[in-house]
Amino acid sequence: YQRRVHGIKDNNIQMRVYKDIVSNEEIISDSFKFAYCFNEVLGKCLSQMVNKNGTPIDIGAGNAFGGEDADEPADMSEVVNNIMDVFVYQETSFDKKSYQLYLKGFMKRIKTHLEATNPSRVEEFMAGAKDAFKWITANFDEFTFYMPESFDAENSIRLSYYE
């Protein structure tokens, strides 16, 4: 459902930016490893937790590996998910019932959009949406939820989980 691709060309370099087909908000770019799943209903990206200011991340071993002295105050670095940071997503929360209600409404908007713009895609989309809904529901407690930069809860909510 998030398949619109917008190409940017500069000196023979091309970047694809994937946008939400309802809101037209940027979702992800091809600078991140990306793959579709569930009949191209969802996209899956590999992300990393990174230190936003570039200083090393202390994994809790203090100076055992040549790090800072144990008596020094901890640095004030900010560890973020690289995709969520680049696209300015903000963490939000849902309980299972409210997320299911949101997702059903969002999938209905996508279906309506496809009926108007690409009717041949509707049947395949609905089959993938059903499987995606089941998978998300079964793994609900594993997800962290993110809103887009606009903070519009009617747009697609991004999910993250550890694999």
Side-chain angles (χ1 to χ4, degrees):
Y1 62 89
Q2 302 170 344
R3 186 159 186 187
R4 188 170 296 170
V5 177
H6 186 71
I8 300 171
K9 289 186 176 184
D10 183 23
N11 297 331
N12 296 323
I13 299 171
Q14 183 174 359
M15 177 192 293
R16 289 187 173 191
V17 177
Y18 296 82
K19 294 187 173 189
D20 184 301
I21 63 173
V22 173
S23 69
N24 207 34
E25 277 194 284
E26 292 182 1
I27 295 174
I28 196 74
S29 73
D30 65 356
S31 60
F32 297 96
K33 186 176 179 178
F34 179 84
Y36 286 109
C37 50
F38 300 104
N39 292 343
E40 297 187 4
V41 169
L42 298 180
K44 188 176 183 179
C45 301
L46 180 62
S47 67
Q48 299 177 3
M49 297 304 287
V50 297
N51 191 318
K52 195 169 181 172
N53 64 5
T55 58
I57 298 172
D58 181 359
I59 59 170
N63 65 353
F65 300 104
E68 297 176 358
D69 290 335
D71 294 335
E72 288 184 23
D75 73 58
M76 301 305 288
S77 62
E78 182 181 5
V79 178
V80 297
N81 179 296
N82 60 343
I83 294 175
M84 302 309 159
D85 187 55
V86 167
F87 289 93
V88 197
Y89 300 145
Q90 298 297 317
E91 189 171 336
T92 189
S93 62
F94 283 94
D95 61 38
K96 194 177 220 177
K97 186 175 181 178
S98 64
Y99 186 76
Q100 288 174 332
L101 185 62
Y102 155 78
L103 190 56
K104 286 178 183 179
F106 186 74
M107 295 294 187
K108 184 177 180 180
R109 286 193 302 281
I110 300 296
K111 180 183 176 192
T112 301
H113 176 81
L114 289 174
E115 288 170 339
T117 60
N118 189 1
S120 63
R121 172 84 172 104
V122 173
E123 188 175 329
E124 185 180 356
F125 170 79
M126 291 307 293
K130 182 179 178 182
D131 291 342
F133 185 86
K134 287 179 185 177
W135 178 75
I136 291 169
T137 300
N139 295 288
F140 183 82
D141 292 335
E142 302 300 318
F143 291 107
T144 303
F145 302 91
Y146 294 88
M147 294 184 77
E149 184 176 14
S150 69
F151 293 99
D152 184 352
E154 298 300 312
N155 292 342
S156 63
I157 300 295
R158 284 51 160 187
L159 308 174
S160 73
Y161 70 102
Y162 291 97
E163 216 175 43

